[in-house]
Amino acid sequence: MIESESTVPRIGQIVQVLTGNERGSYSIVVQQLDERFVLIADGDKRRFDRPKRKNIRHLQMCDHVSPEVHNSMMETGRVTNGKLRHAVSKFVEEISEKKGDAFNGKR
């Protein structure tokens, strides 16, 4: 997993939760409240209509922004839970493939 150089979260950015009950899970930033807090959702346990308010210090910013989620949020101000689930699962699949390649000696 690559941590972003920028600590400023972007709409549609994948984050890993570092603290709390959802520790270790991946979510997507759906709104920035201020310089310290964002709203995150994953489309499954955390739906778009009930996002989790999280301090950005409790999140690891991944260097990936989902274009589908970002575009949907910019155009309509909403995103479907299906798009959120798809973006998270696609990202998790990509990083598991990279870990598998690294384990098998490929790069």
Side-chain angles (χ1 to χ4, degrees), residues 57-85:
R57 294 186 317 176
H58 300 162
L59 300 171
Q60 180 175 0
M61 306 296 164
C62 299
D63 197 23
H64 180 77
V65 175
S66 169
E68 297 91 4
V69 173
H70 179 79
N71 292 340
S72 181
M73 289 296 295
M74 293 299 113
E75 291 171 7
T76 64
R78 296 192 51 83
V79 65
T80 64
N81 290 313
K83 278 186 186 177
L84 290 171
R85 284 191 304 269

Side-chain angles (χ1 to χ4, degrees), residues 15-85:
V15 295
Q16 185 176 25
V17 180
L18 299 176
T19 61
N21 291 336
E22 298 172 353
R23 178 184 15 209
S25 66
Y26 291 94
S27 291
I28 298 179
V29 175
V30 294
Q31 184 180 350
Q32 179 150 7
L33 299 175
D34 58 27
E35 65 277 349
R36 286 183 48 209
F37 291 96
V38 294
L39 295 179
I40 60 171
D42 64 5
D44 186 24
K45 293 177 185 169
R46 278 286 166 193
R47 313 275 257 167
F48 177 77
D49 56 341
R50 294 193 49 104
K52 175 74 176 166
R53 180 176 176 258
K54 220 45 180 160
N55 187 323
I56 62 172
R57 294 186 317 176
H58 300 162
L59 300 171
Q60 180 175 0
M61 306 296 164
C62 299
D63 197 23
H64 180 77
V65 175
S66 169
E68 297 91 4
V69 173
H70 179 79
N71 292 340
S72 181
M73 289 296 295
M74 293 299 113
E75 291 171 7
T76 64
R78 296 192 51 83
V79 65
T80 64
N81 290 313
K83 278 186 186 177
L84 290 171
R85 284 191 304 269

